[in-house]
Coordinates of all heavy atoms in Angstrom, one line a residue:
S565 N -68.0 -79.8 200.5 CA -68.8 -78.6 200.5 C -69.2 -78.0 201.8 O -69.7 -76.9 201.9 CB -70.1 -78.8 199.6 OG -70.9 -79.8 200.2
N566 N -68.9 -78.9 202.9 CA -69.1 -78.3 204.2 C -67.7 -77.9 204.8 O -67.7 -77.9 206.0 CB -69.9 -79.3 205.1 CG -69.1 -80.4 205.5 OD1 -68.4 -81.1 204.7 ND2 -69.2 -80.8 206.8
I567 N -66.7 -77.7 204.0 CA -65.5 -77.1 204.4 C -65.5 -75.6 204.1 O -65.6 -75.3 203.1 CB -64.3 -77.9 203.7 CG1 -64.3 -79.4 203.9 CG2 -62.9 -77.2 204.1 CD1 -63.9 -79.8 205.3
Y568 N -65.3 -74.8 205.2 CA -65.5 -73.4 205.1 C -64.3 -72.6 205.3 O -64.4 -71.4 205.5 CB -66.6 -73.0 205.9 CG -68.0 -73.7 205.7 CD1 -68.5 -74.6 206.5 CD2 -68.7 -73.4 204.5 CE1 -69.7 -75.2 206.4 CE2 -69.9 -74.1 204.2 CZ -70.4 -75.0 205.2 OH -71.5 -75.6 204.9
D569 N -63.1 -73.2 205.4 CA -62.0 -72.4 205.6 C -61.2 -72.0 204.3 O -60.0 -71.5 204.4 CB -61.0 -73.2 206.5 CG -60.4 -74.4 205.9 OD1 -60.8 -74.8 204.8 OD2 -59.4 -75.0 206.4
G570 N -61.8 -72.3 203.2 CA -61.2 -71.9 201.8 C -60.5 -73.1 201.2 O -60.2 -73.1 200.0
S571 N -60.2 -74.1 201.9 CA -59.6 -75.3 201.4 C -60.4 -76.3 200.6 O -59.9 -77.3 200.2 CB -58.8 -76.0 202.5 OG -59.7 -76.8 203.3
Q572 N -61.7 -76.0 200.5 CA -62.6 -76.9 199.6 C -62.1 -76.9 198.2 O -62.5 -77.8 197.4 CB -64.0 -76.4 199.8 CG -64.4 -75.1 199.2 CD -64.4 -74.0 200.3 OE1 -63.4 -73.9 201.1 NE2 -65.3 -73.1 200.2
F573 N -61.3 -75.9 197.7 CA -60.9 -75.9 196.3 C -59.4 -76.4 196.2 O -58.8 -76.3 195.2 CB -60.9 -74.4 195.8 CG -62.3 -73.9 195.7 CD1 -62.8 -73.1 196.8 CD2 -63.1 -74.2 194.7 CE1 -64.0 -72.6 196.7 CE2 -64.4 -73.8 194.7 CZ -64.9 -72.9 195.6
T574 N -58.9 -77.1 197.3 CA -57.6 -77.7 197.2 C -57.8 -79.3 197.1 O -59.0 -79.8 197.3 CB -56.8 -77.4 198.5 OG1 -57.4 -77.9 199.7 CG2 -56.6 -75.9 198.6
A575 N -56.8 -79.9 196.7 CA -57.0 -81.4 196.5 C -55.8 -82.2 197.3 O -55.6 -83.3 196.9 CB -56.8 -81.7 195.0
D576 N -55.3 -81.6 198.3 CA -54.2 -82.4 199.1 C -54.8 -83.6 199.7 O -54.1 -84.6 199.8 CB -53.7 -81.4 200.2 CG -53.0 -80.1 199.6 OD1 -51.8 -80.3 199.3 OD2 -53.6 -79.2 199.4
M577 N -56.0 -83.6 200.3 CA -56.6 -84.7 201.0 C -56.7 -85.9 200.2 O -56.2 -87.0 200.5 CB -57.9 -84.3 201.6 CG -58.6 -85.5 202.4 SD -60.1 -85.0 203.2 CE -61.2 -85.0 201.7
S578 N -57.2 -85.8 199.0 CA -57.5 -87.0 198.1 C -56.1 -87.6 197.6 O -55.9 -88.8 197.7 CB -58.3 -86.7 197.0 OG -57.8 -85.6 196.2
I579 N -55.1 -86.7 197.4 CA -53.8 -87.1 196.9 C -53.1 -87.9 198.1 O -52.5 -89.0 198.0 CB -52.9 -86.0 196.4 CG1 -53.6 -85.4 195.2 CG2 -51.6 -86.5 196.0 CD1 -53.8 -86.3 194.0
Q580 N -53.1 -87.2 199.3 CA -52.5 -87.9 200.4 C -53.2 -89.2 200.7 O -52.5 -90.1 201.1 CB -52.6 -86.9 201.7 CG -51.7 -85.6 201.6 CD -50.3 -86.0 201.9 OE1 -49.9 -87.1 202.2 NE2 -49.4 -85.0 201.9

Side-chain angles (χ1 to χ4, degrees):
S565 60
N566 73 316
I567 301 289
Y568 301 110
D569 68 346
S571 69
Q572 66 267 42
F573 295 98
T574 67
D576 297 272
M577 180 178 71
S578 55
I579 299 297
Q580 288 283 359

